[in-house]
Short mmCIF file of all heavy atoms in Angstrom, two decimals:
data_model
loop_
_atom_site.label_atom_id
_atom_site.label_comp_id
_atom_site.label_asym_id
_atom_site.label_seq_id
_atom_site.Cartn_x
_atom_site.Cartn_y
_atom_site.Cartn_z
N MET A 268 9.44 2.45 0.85
CA MET A 268 9.63 3.65 0.30
C MET A 268 8.71 4.20 -0.74
O MET A 268 8.19 5.26 -0.80
CB MET A 268 11.11 3.76 -0.26
CG MET A 268 12.23 3.56 0.80
SD MET A 268 12.21 4.83 2.07
CE MET A 268 12.98 6.18 1.19
N GLY A 269 8.48 3.34 -1.74
CA GLY A 269 7.55 3.67 -2.80
C GLY A 269 6.11 3.75 -2.34
O GLY A 269 5.39 4.65 -2.87
N GLU A 270 5.70 2.82 -1.40
CA GLU A 270 4.32 2.88 -0.98
C GLU A 270 4.03 4.10 -0.04
O GLU A 270 3.13 4.83 -0.28
CB GLU A 270 4.03 1.53 -0.27
CG GLU A 270 2.64 1.45 0.40
CD GLU A 270 2.73 1.82 1.86
OE1 GLU A 270 3.75 1.56 2.55
OE2 GLU A 270 1.73 2.49 2.32
N GLY A 272 5.96 6.68 0.78
CA GLY A 272 6.41 7.94 0.23
C GLY A 272 5.36 8.46 -0.72
O GLY A 272 4.97 9.67 -0.80
N ASN A 273 4.91 7.63 -1.65
CA ASN A 273 3.94 8.07 -2.64
C ASN A 273 2.61 8.42 -1.96
O ASN A 273 1.85 9.30 -2.39
CB ASN A 273 3.72 7.11 -3.73
CG ASN A 273 4.70 7.31 -4.87
OD1 ASN A 273 4.52 8.19 -5.67
ND2 ASN A 273 5.75 6.52 -4.94
N ILE A 276 3.01 11.80 -0.81
CA ILE A 276 3.03 12.79 -1.98
C ILE A 276 1.63 13.09 -2.44
O ILE A 276 1.19 14.30 -2.66
CB ILE A 276 3.87 12.22 -3.07
CG1 ILE A 276 5.36 12.21 -2.79
CG2 ILE A 276 3.64 12.99 -4.42
CD1 ILE A 276 6.27 11.54 -3.84
N TYR A 277 0.87 12.07 -2.56
CA TYR A 277 -0.61 12.24 -3.14
C TYR A 277 -1.45 12.80 -2.10
O TYR A 277 -2.44 13.70 -2.40
CB TYR A 277 -1.20 10.86 -3.61
CG TYR A 277 -0.61 10.48 -5.00
CD1 TYR A 277 0.40 9.66 -5.16
CD2 TYR A 277 -1.18 10.99 -6.16
CE1 TYR A 277 0.95 9.21 -6.38
CE2 TYR A 277 -0.72 10.65 -7.39
CZ TYR A 277 0.32 9.74 -7.50
OH TYR A 277 0.81 9.40 -8.69
N VAL A 329 3.64 -9.33 -7.22
CA VAL A 329 2.61 -8.35 -7.04
C VAL A 329 3.22 -7.05 -6.69
O VAL A 329 2.95 -5.95 -7.24
CB VAL A 329 1.44 -8.74 -6.12
CG1 VAL A 329 0.47 -7.64 -5.99
CG2 VAL A 329 0.74 -10.03 -6.64
N TYR A 330 4.10 -7.11 -5.61
CA TYR A 330 4.72 -5.86 -5.18
C TYR A 330 5.63 -5.29 -6.24
O TYR A 330 5.59 -4.03 -6.43
CB TYR A 330 5.59 -6.22 -3.92
CG TYR A 330 5.71 -5.16 -2.92
CD1 TYR A 330 5.26 -5.28 -1.63
CD2 TYR A 330 6.31 -3.97 -3.25
CE1 TYR A 330 5.31 -4.28 -0.68
CE2 TYR A 330 6.40 -2.80 -2.26
CZ TYR A 330 5.89 -3.03 -1.09
OH TYR A 330 5.99 -2.12 -0.13
N ARG A 331 6.43 -6.15 -6.90
CA ARG A 331 7.36 -5.61 -8.00
C ARG A 331 6.65 -4.85 -9.09
O ARG A 331 7.01 -3.83 -9.45
CB ARG A 331 8.25 -6.75 -8.46
CG ARG A 331 9.19 -6.40 -9.57
CD ARG A 331 10.02 -7.59 -9.94
NE ARG A 331 10.80 -8.07 -8.79
CZ ARG A 331 11.24 -9.36 -8.67
NH1 ARG A 331 11.05 -10.25 -9.64
NH2 ARG A 331 11.89 -9.71 -7.60
N TYR A 332 5.57 -5.46 -9.57
CA TYR A 332 4.80 -4.88 -10.69
C TYR A 332 4.13 -3.57 -10.18
O TYR A 332 3.90 -2.62 -11.03
CB TYR A 332 3.96 -5.78 -11.37
CG TYR A 332 4.71 -6.93 -12.16
CD1 TYR A 332 4.92 -8.17 -11.81
CD2 TYR A 332 5.39 -6.46 -13.43
CE1 TYR A 332 5.52 -9.13 -12.58
CE2 TYR A 332 6.13 -7.39 -14.13
CZ TYR A 332 6.17 -8.71 -13.69
OH TYR A 332 6.90 -9.58 -14.52
N GLY A 333 3.70 -3.63 -9.01
CA GLY A 333 3.05 -2.42 -8.44
C GLY A 333 4.05 -1.27 -8.38
O GLY A 333 3.67 -0.14 -8.76
N ALA A 334 5.23 -1.54 -7.97
CA ALA A 334 6.24 -0.49 -7.79
C ALA A 334 6.62 0.05 -9.11
O ALA A 334 6.80 1.26 -9.43
CB ALA A 334 7.47 -0.97 -7.03
N LEU A 335 6.78 -0.89 -10.12
CA LEU A 335 7.11 -0.45 -11.44
C LEU A 335 5.91 0.40 -12.08
O LEU A 335 6.21 1.32 -12.80
CB LEU A 335 7.28 -1.78 -12.35
CG LEU A 335 7.63 -1.52 -13.83
CD1 LEU A 335 8.96 -0.80 -13.93
CD2 LEU A 335 7.77 -2.79 -14.60
N PHE A 336 4.70 -0.03 -11.81
CA PHE A 336 3.56 0.82 -12.28
C PHE A 336 3.69 2.25 -11.76
O PHE A 336 3.49 3.19 -12.51
CB PHE A 336 2.21 0.07 -11.99
CG PHE A 336 1.05 0.90 -12.30
CD1 PHE A 336 0.55 0.91 -13.57
CD2 PHE A 336 0.39 1.71 -11.27
CE1 PHE A 336 -0.55 1.67 -13.94
CE2 PHE A 336 -0.72 2.37 -11.63
CZ PHE A 336 -1.22 2.42 -12.95
N GLN A 337 3.88 2.35 -10.47
CA GLN A 337 3.98 3.61 -9.85
C GLN A 337 5.08 4.52 -10.46
O GLN A 337 4.97 5.72 -10.61
CB GLN A 337 4.17 3.50 -8.33
CG GLN A 337 4.11 4.75 -7.53
CD GLN A 337 2.69 5.28 -7.34
OE1 GLN A 337 2.10 5.91 -8.25
NE2 GLN A 337 2.03 4.89 -6.23
N ALA A 338 6.27 3.83 -10.77
CA ALA A 338 7.27 4.55 -11.39
C ALA A 338 6.90 5.01 -12.80
O ALA A 338 7.20 6.20 -13.17
CB ALA A 338 8.57 3.71 -11.52
N LEU A 339 6.24 4.19 -13.58
CA LEU A 339 5.94 4.51 -14.90
C LEU A 339 4.95 5.59 -15.11
O LEU A 339 4.93 6.43 -15.96
CB LEU A 339 5.39 3.29 -15.74
CG LEU A 339 6.43 2.19 -15.96
CD1 LEU A 339 5.83 0.93 -16.47
CD2 LEU A 339 7.53 2.68 -16.82
N ILE A 340 4.10 5.79 -14.14
CA ILE A 340 3.01 6.75 -14.21
C ILE A 340 3.46 8.22 -13.70
O ILE A 340 2.75 9.20 -13.80
CB ILE A 340 1.66 6.32 -13.57
CG1 ILE A 340 1.80 6.39 -11.98
CG2 ILE A 340 1.04 5.16 -14.15
CD1 ILE A 340 0.58 6.16 -11.30
N ALA A 341 4.62 8.24 -13.00
CA ALA A 341 4.96 9.38 -12.29
C ALA A 341 4.95 10.68 -13.14
O ALA A 341 4.32 11.65 -12.83
CB ALA A 341 6.40 9.26 -11.56
N LEU A 342 5.69 10.66 -14.15
CA LEU A 342 5.87 11.80 -15.07
C LEU A 342 4.55 12.26 -15.72
O LEU A 342 4.15 13.38 -15.67
CB LEU A 342 7.02 11.64 -16.04
CG LEU A 342 8.43 11.72 -15.45
CD1 LEU A 342 9.51 11.20 -16.50
CD2 LEU A 342 8.78 13.13 -15.03
N PRO A 343 3.91 11.21 -16.48
CA PRO A 343 2.57 11.75 -17.13
C PRO A 343 1.51 12.11 -16.10
O PRO A 343 0.75 13.07 -16.37
CB PRO A 343 2.24 10.43 -17.86
CG PRO A 343 2.98 9.32 -17.29
CD PRO A 343 4.22 9.91 -16.84
N ALA A 344 1.42 11.49 -14.97
CA ALA A 344 0.38 11.83 -14.02
C ALA A 344 0.53 13.27 -13.47
O ALA A 344 -0.46 14.03 -13.59
CB ALA A 344 0.42 10.81 -12.76
N PHE A 345 1.75 13.64 -13.06
CA PHE A 345 1.86 14.93 -12.47
C PHE A 345 1.78 16.05 -13.58
O PHE A 345 1.49 17.21 -13.24
CB PHE A 345 3.02 15.04 -11.58
CG PHE A 345 2.88 14.20 -10.30
CD1 PHE A 345 3.49 13.03 -10.11
CD2 PHE A 345 1.97 14.64 -9.34
CE1 PHE A 345 3.32 12.27 -8.92
CE2 PHE A 345 1.78 13.88 -8.14
CZ PHE A 345 2.47 12.75 -8.01
N TYR A 346 2.23 15.70 -14.72
CA TYR A 346 2.04 16.73 -15.89
C TYR A 346 0.59 17.01 -16.10
O TYR A 346 0.18 18.11 -16.27
CB TYR A 346 2.67 16.12 -17.20
CG TYR A 346 2.32 16.95 -18.37
CD1 TYR A 346 2.90 18.27 -18.56
CD2 TYR A 346 1.37 16.51 -19.27
CE1 TYR A 346 2.50 19.05 -19.57
CE2 TYR A 346 1.03 17.30 -20.36
CZ TYR A 346 1.57 18.57 -20.52
OH TYR A 346 1.20 19.41 -21.56
N VAL A 362 -5.78 6.90 -9.73
CA VAL A 362 -4.82 5.96 -10.33
C VAL A 362 -3.62 5.77 -9.40
O VAL A 362 -3.08 4.72 -9.08
CB VAL A 362 -4.41 6.41 -11.65
CG1 VAL A 362 -3.26 5.57 -12.17
CG2 VAL A 362 -5.63 6.29 -12.69
N GLY A 363 -3.08 6.93 -8.92
CA GLY A 363 -1.92 6.92 -8.08
C GLY A 363 -2.04 6.21 -6.69
O GLY A 363 -1.25 5.43 -6.31
N ILE A 364 -3.18 6.53 -6.06
CA ILE A 364 -3.47 5.94 -4.73
C ILE A 364 -4.11 4.63 -4.84
O ILE A 364 -3.63 3.61 -4.15
CB ILE A 364 -4.43 6.94 -3.93
CG1 ILE A 364 -3.73 8.24 -3.68
CG2 ILE A 364 -4.83 6.29 -2.60
CD1 ILE A 364 -4.47 9.31 -3.01
N LEU A 366 -4.39 2.46 -7.38
CA LEU A 366 -3.69 1.43 -8.07
C LEU A 366 -2.19 1.37 -7.64
O LEU A 366 -1.66 0.34 -7.29
CB LEU A 366 -3.86 1.60 -9.59
CG LEU A 366 -5.19 1.38 -10.18
CD1 LEU A 366 -5.24 1.63 -11.73
CD2 LEU A 366 -5.73 -0.04 -9.85
N GLY A 367 -1.55 2.58 -7.82
CA GLY A 367 -0.14 2.57 -7.50
C GLY A 367 0.23 2.16 -6.07
O GLY A 367 0.91 1.19 -5.77
N VAL A 368 -0.34 2.91 -5.13
CA VAL A 368 -0.02 2.69 -3.73
C VAL A 368 -0.52 1.38 -3.20
O VAL A 368 0.14 0.57 -2.58
CB VAL A 368 -0.51 3.86 -2.87
CG1 VAL A 368 -0.35 3.53 -1.35
CG2 VAL A 368 0.23 5.11 -3.19
N SER A 370 -1.26 -1.38 -4.86
CA SER A 370 -0.62 -2.55 -5.36
C SER A 370 0.62 -2.97 -4.62
O SER A 370 1.06 -4.09 -4.67
CB SER A 370 -0.34 -2.30 -6.89
OG SER A 370 0.59 -1.19 -6.97
N MET A 371 1.16 -2.06 -3.84
CA MET A 371 2.31 -2.31 -3.01
C MET A 371 1.75 -2.54 -1.57
O MET A 371 2.21 -3.55 -0.91
CB MET A 371 3.33 -1.14 -2.92
CG MET A 371 4.12 -1.02 -4.20
SD MET A 371 5.23 0.41 -4.22
CE MET A 371 4.11 1.73 -4.66
N TRP A 422 6.11 21.30 -11.17
CA TRP A 422 5.44 19.90 -11.08
C TRP A 422 6.50 18.82 -11.12
O TRP A 422 6.18 17.69 -10.65
CB TRP A 422 4.48 19.73 -12.23
CG TRP A 422 5.01 19.65 -13.56
CD1 TRP A 422 5.32 20.69 -14.46
CD2 TRP A 422 5.36 18.44 -14.37
NE1 TRP A 422 5.83 20.17 -15.59
CE2 TRP A 422 5.94 18.85 -15.60
CE3 TRP A 422 5.45 17.06 -14.04
CZ2 TRP A 422 6.33 18.01 -16.54
CZ3 TRP A 422 5.80 16.17 -14.93
CH2 TRP A 422 6.31 16.58 -16.24
N LEU A 423 7.65 19.09 -11.82
CA LEU A 423 8.75 17.99 -11.80
C LEU A 423 9.12 17.55 -10.45
O LEU A 423 9.68 16.43 -10.32
CB LEU A 423 9.82 18.54 -12.60
CG LEU A 423 9.67 18.64 -14.17
CD1 LEU A 423 10.80 19.29 -14.89
CD2 LEU A 423 9.51 17.20 -14.68
N LEU A 425 7.30 16.95 -7.85
CA LEU A 425 6.46 15.76 -7.35
C LEU A 425 6.69 14.58 -8.29
O LEU A 425 6.83 13.46 -7.76
CB LEU A 425 4.95 16.20 -7.55
CG LEU A 425 4.37 17.20 -6.49
CD1 LEU A 425 4.84 18.57 -6.69
CD2 LEU A 425 2.87 17.07 -6.51
N ALA A 426 6.89 14.80 -9.54
CA ALA A 426 7.03 13.61 -10.47
C ALA A 426 8.38 12.90 -10.28
O ALA A 426 8.33 11.62 -10.14
CB ALA A 426 6.94 14.15 -11.92
N VAL A 427 9.44 13.53 -10.07
CA VAL A 427 10.72 12.93 -10.00
C VAL A 427 10.81 12.31 -8.52
O VAL A 427 11.28 11.31 -8.36
CB VAL A 427 11.90 13.97 -10.09
CG1 VAL A 427 13.22 13.44 -9.72
CG2 VAL A 427 11.94 14.44 -11.61
N TYR A 428 10.28 12.93 -7.50
CA TYR A 428 10.16 12.38 -6.13
C TYR A 428 9.42 11.09 -6.21
O TYR A 428 9.94 10.07 -5.68
CB TYR A 428 9.57 13.43 -5.27
CG TYR A 428 10.02 13.46 -3.91
CD1 TYR A 428 9.94 14.67 -3.06
CD2 TYR A 428 10.81 12.37 -3.34
CE1 TYR A 428 10.42 14.70 -1.75
CE2 TYR A 428 11.23 12.46 -2.02
CZ TYR A 428 11.02 13.57 -1.16
OH TYR A 428 11.63 13.73 0.05
N SER A 429 8.29 11.12 -6.85
CA SER A 429 7.40 9.84 -6.96
C SER A 429 8.20 8.83 -7.67
O SER A 429 8.20 7.67 -7.20
CB SER A 429 6.09 10.20 -7.69
OG SER A 429 5.38 9.00 -7.87
N LEU A 430 8.79 9.14 -8.73
CA LEU A 430 9.65 8.16 -9.55
C LEU A 430 10.70 7.51 -8.72
O LEU A 430 10.84 6.24 -8.74
CB LEU A 430 10.10 8.92 -10.76
CG LEU A 430 11.14 8.09 -11.74
CD1 LEU A 430 10.40 6.89 -12.30
CD2 LEU A 430 11.54 8.93 -12.79
N VAL A 431 11.49 8.27 -8.14
CA VAL A 431 12.65 7.81 -7.34
C VAL A 431 12.18 6.84 -6.20
O VAL A 431 12.82 5.75 -5.99
CB VAL A 431 13.44 8.97 -6.78
CG1 VAL A 431 14.57 8.46 -5.85
CG2 VAL A 431 14.21 9.66 -7.91
N LEU A 432 11.25 7.32 -5.42
CA LEU A 432 10.75 6.38 -4.40
C LEU A 432 10.20 5.10 -4.85
O LEU A 432 10.47 3.95 -4.30
CB LEU A 432 9.67 7.17 -3.58
CG LEU A 432 10.16 8.31 -2.73
CD1 LEU A 432 8.93 9.19 -2.27
CD2 LEU A 432 11.05 7.89 -1.64
N ALA A 433 9.50 5.02 -5.98
CA ALA A 433 8.90 3.86 -6.58
C ALA A 433 10.09 2.92 -7.02
O ALA A 433 10.09 1.73 -6.97
CB ALA A 433 8.03 4.16 -7.74
N LEU A 434 11.14 3.52 -7.68
CA LEU A 434 12.18 2.67 -8.24
C LEU A 434 12.98 2.10 -6.99
O LEU A 434 13.54 0.96 -7.14
CB LEU A 434 13.13 3.51 -9.03
CG LEU A 434 12.61 3.99 -10.37
CD1 LEU A 434 13.57 4.88 -11.09
CD2 LEU A 434 12.25 2.75 -11.26
N ILE A 435 13.06 2.68 -5.91
CA ILE A 435 13.70 2.20 -4.71
C ILE A 435 13.03 0.89 -4.31
O ILE A 435 13.59 -0.12 -4.04
CB ILE A 435 13.84 3.17 -3.49
CG1 ILE A 435 14.74 4.31 -3.90
CG2 ILE A 435 14.21 2.46 -2.22
CD1 ILE A 435 14.83 5.39 -2.82
N SER A 436 11.73 0.98 -4.20
CA SER A 436 10.86 -0.23 -3.83
C SER A 436 11.00 -1.35 -4.86
O SER A 436 11.17 -2.57 -4.60
CB SER A 436 9.43 0.13 -3.63
OG SER A 436 9.28 0.88 -2.46
N PHE A 437 10.99 -0.92 -6.14
CA PHE A 437 11.18 -1.90 -7.28
C PHE A 437 12.44 -2.60 -7.15
O PHE A 437 12.54 -3.91 -7.22
CB PHE A 437 11.15 -1.21 -8.57
CG PHE A 437 11.36 -2.07 -9.78
CD1 PHE A 437 10.38 -2.90 -10.20
CD2 PHE A 437 12.58 -1.97 -10.41
CE1 PHE A 437 10.60 -3.72 -11.31
CE2 PHE A 437 12.85 -2.76 -11.66
CZ PHE A 437 11.71 -3.64 -12.04
N ALA A 438 13.56 -1.88 -6.85
CA ALA A 438 14.85 -2.53 -6.66
C ALA A 438 14.88 -3.47 -5.37
O ALA A 438 15.42 -4.52 -5.37
CB ALA A 438 15.94 -1.48 -6.50
N PHE A 441 13.94 -7.26 -5.50
CA PHE A 441 14.93 -8.27 -5.91
C PHE A 441 15.83 -8.80 -4.82
O PHE A 441 16.57 -9.78 -5.00
CB PHE A 441 15.86 -7.67 -6.99
CG PHE A 441 15.08 -7.45 -8.35
CD1 PHE A 441 14.52 -6.17 -8.59
CD2 PHE A 441 14.85 -8.39 -9.24
CE1 PHE A 441 13.83 -5.92 -9.71
CE2 PHE A 441 14.21 -8.20 -10.48
CZ PHE A 441 13.65 -6.85 -10.67
#
Side-chain angles (χ1 to χ4, degrees):
M268 297 297 285
E270 174 266 322
N273 272 284
I276 287 173
Y277 281 95
V329 176
Y330 213 118
R331 181 174 298 158
Y332 287 112
L335 182 60
F336 175 80
Q337 189 72 278
L339 290 174
I340 68 170
L342 288 168
F345 290 107
Y346 170 73
V362 172
I364 294 173
L366 294 180
V368 172
S370 61
M371 291 179 277
W422 67 274
L423 285 171
L425 285 76
V427 173
Y428 216 157
S429 174
L430 173 63
V431 170
L432 291 170
L434 288 178
I435 291 172
S436 288
F437 178 72
F441 291 95

